[in-house]
Amino acid sequence: MAELNEILRAHGGRQDALLPILHDVQAAFGHVSEASIREIALHLNLSRAEVSGVVSFYHDYHRTPDPRPAIKLCRAESCQSRGSEALAIAAEKVAGARVRVETVYCLGLCSVGPNAMIGHEVHARLDSGKVAALIGAL
């Protein structure tokens, strides 16, 4: 709770701080727990439903911890036209239960797709071999 309270203090009590607070909580704990949602709601004078709704809307926030590393594959239209659907199937096979394969819709590199993100690093012009190597390195 001390770390959560420090995050809340760092952002003040502004309601527009909800997303930055959730981002920091996700980064610090690997998930946004029900207890965190209650404390954030109380701190920002929001309902638990409002905070919970935001957590459930955005794919980057998770309610339970998942220790597996993640690769986020872009499956937006531009990447789809360059083969991201087949790439996602190949990635799932290589990843197995060891790596989490997540879908995102646009990483902002449409001209060099298909793309993926691992952590904060974006990888472009992917094919099944490159994705397998990325997953293997996780």
Side-chain angles (χ1 to χ4, degrees):
M1 269 312 187
E3 192 171 357
L4 176 60
N5 288 331
E6 187 60 37
I7 291 169
L8 295 173
R9 267 194 300 279
H11 290 283
R14 302 177 340 266
Q15 287 184 350
D16 66 345
L18 178 57
L19 288 176
I21 289 171
L22 290 173
H23 181 76
D24 289 351
V25 168
Q26 178 71 39
F29 304 113
H31 69 292
V32 182
S33 68
E34 190 60 38
S36 294
I37 289 172
R38 274 194 306 275
E39 291 300 316
I40 293 166
L42 185 65
H43 181 77
L44 296 178
N45 196 29
L46 296 170
S47 71
R48 286 193 333 245
E50 288 172 302
V51 177
S52 184
V54 172
V55 170
S56 65
F57 179 79
Y58 290 102
H59 295 2
D60 283 338
Y61 304 128
H62 305 283
R63 291 197 179 238
T64 57
D66 189 340
R68 297 176 299 164
I71 181 169
K72 297 178 181 187
L73 291 176
C74 179
R75 294 175 80 174
E77 289 81 1
S78 180
C79 284
Q80 282 181 27
S81 71
R82 296 171 185 262
S84 68
E85 294 305 310
L87 197 60
I89 293 167
E92 289 285 350
K93 287 180 184 175
V94 173
R98 192 178 63 78
V99 175
R100 191 171 69 241
V101 178
E102 297 180 356
T103 295
V104 294
Y105 292 98
C106 197
L107 294 171
L109 296 169
C110 299
S111 65
V112 290
N115 303 301
M117 179 183 282
I118 298 173
H120 296 290
E121 189 174 342
V122 179
H123 302 270
R125 293 186 175 97
L126 296 176
D127 58 31
S128 59
K130 290 178 184 176
V131 166
L134 288 171
I135 291 171
L138 290 175

